[in-house]
Amino acid sequence: MSPAGATRRRHREEGEPIAPAVGVVAIVGRPNVGKSTLFNRLTGTRRAIVDAFAGLTRDRLYGVVEWGGKRFTVVDTAGLDVPLPRDAAPDIAALTRATREQAQMAITEADVCCFMVDVRDGVTALDEEIAQALRRGGRPVILVGNKADSPSNPHYAHELYRLGLGEPVLVSALVGTDTGDLLDRIVDELPPAGDAIAVDEPMELRLAIIGKPNVGKSTFFVAATLKSVPIADYPFTTIKPNVGMAYLRTKCVHEEMGVVDKPKNSVCANGVRLIPVKLVDVAGLVSGASSGRGLGNQFLEDIMQADAIVHVVDASGSTDLEGQKTAPGSQDPMKDVEMVEREVDLWLLGIVKRDWEKTSKLSEQLKTSVAPALAQRLTGIGIDEEMVEETLLKLHLKPDKPLGWGDGALESFVKALRERNKPSLIAANKADLPSAAEKLPLLKQSGKTVIPCAAEAELLLRKAAEAGVIAYTPGDSTFKITKEGLSPAQVRALELVKERVLDVYGGTGVQQAIDQAYFGLLKAVVVYPVEDETKLTNKDGDVLPDAYVMNGGSTALDLAKKIHSDLAKSFLYAVDARTGLRLSSDHVLKDRDVVKIVSSGRRG
């Protein structure tokens, strides 16, 4: 914890060179949360006007800060909700519009955004809207909970997690408490000198690996990514989420197109294109997490950022609900599934129920739909008004009559929303153990997608392939020993993997679970962009260099955005390399499409 006031920029010694400016940090948020106070604190000036009247900052203010060996520019912006009165005079209206534009311009030019929220007020609907916009912006965002002047003063800092922006930094800009910690975070997020941050970069699809402690989540993650993380036979080995790159496996189009490819952003092995995708190993969840038990708040925050979920369970029934080891076969893995889903639903229900009576009464009094209010509360986890409306329609709940929904309606609503917004499958881990034989059929009777899995076997095969001992591509149903001189124990270990896993299930299940999550749950498609639709090359002559994983329903314009924001801005049309037909911007892409983008800037 940094002492109060320990936030001014470090004074340089005489003759010491001035560090080059490495980035721009924008302080953003709704009016009257303390942005100008923080600006003054960080820059050591009093240039920004500070008062309890919302919207006093009408223009951007710039200051320079040095901290941790870095020198950067801080921008104080106007509040992002400066109201425009209906009867405003033309000059006042012009000033208000200009204020909003100044704030948006500051965000656009920033390398890092500090999003300020008043912890005494808690999270407001406007805070949630701003958070959603910032998450889509493609820049690092530091969530700052201001006015945390004293631990004894009541505040709602716990609500900040639902904004989906990670661990908040709690500060008092007025007193200076912990603003040094904030500066440390800013320095960590700033790019190295000369680096540029991409503008309008499309959000990547993310897959979360979840489950109770000690079921093999981290083993699954390491087997998929070969990233070194702690693996141990006790609960809460994973304290913070591990993020790594796994691969999505799909048949490459080069054979169909009759060419020899030269991949750049992916790998092609024996006709199989392996495309990097993001995987997150989330801290284990225990019963009571929705009330903050264990690592519950962190768990729920982490899964908010996922597009789909692989729920790892112990199919051998050898760990209890707390993640403690028990006799094999003594536990029911379906109870794991039910516990995790219940905790997520209870957490969502807590968000929805906040001021529910007041919200529902207001909706009926005004004879308006309650859907916008619900969407505002849930926007932090990627739920929009359309999703809310579809869910209400599915459950036959009248959006303009929420008082008449009846008992259990909200519980059914959050469950249906969770199933729609966070689709999941079950990775039945430890399927190679004898006690799993009677548990797997019970899991499959649940109606959920169940993938028998042996994460330890996959890890063994990946490590052996990395060492050149075997030839093996993730997802293969077999392998070939390529190195002589293996010990009898090594040979026997590989034989056991073949006999107990590959011959039984046709694979270890790790790659199959990842593929099913993307192609089955998210309906993802793989698209190959080219610049020459006849030779299937990029500008350097590389054949089928890139393969992009796109959301199901993505359009030709979405592909242009994925390639480069400038390409999307100057988009004219696309060309299907197979047929030569022109495709409009709203043309929905199919899996294995090979597409050229044509723009007025001739980039594509």
Side-chain angles (χ1 to χ4, degrees), residues 163 171 229 291 298 303 352 366 410 572:
L163 292 172
V171 305
V229 302
S291 301
Q298 180 176 320
I303 68 166
V352 170
L366 298 177
L410 286 180
L572 295 177

Side-chain angles (χ1 to χ4, degrees), residues 7 41 123 180 213-214 228 244 256 266 269 273-274 330 333 347-348 373 405 437 471 474 478:
T7 61
R41 171 68 58 179
V123 173
N214 204 23
S228 178
E256 175 196 345
S266 48
R273 186 68 77 116
L274 298 171
S330 63
W347 175 72
L348 287 172
W405 283 3
T478 186

Side-chain angles (χ1 to χ4, degrees), residues 386-408:
E386 181 180 354
M387 295 178 186
V388 171
E389 290 174 343
E390 289 178 359
T391 304
L392 294 178
L393 181 63
K394 177 182 177 181
L395 298 176
H396 305 291
L397 296 174
K398 296 180 179 180
D400 58 342
K401 299 290 183 182
L403 292 175
W405 283 3
D407 296 337

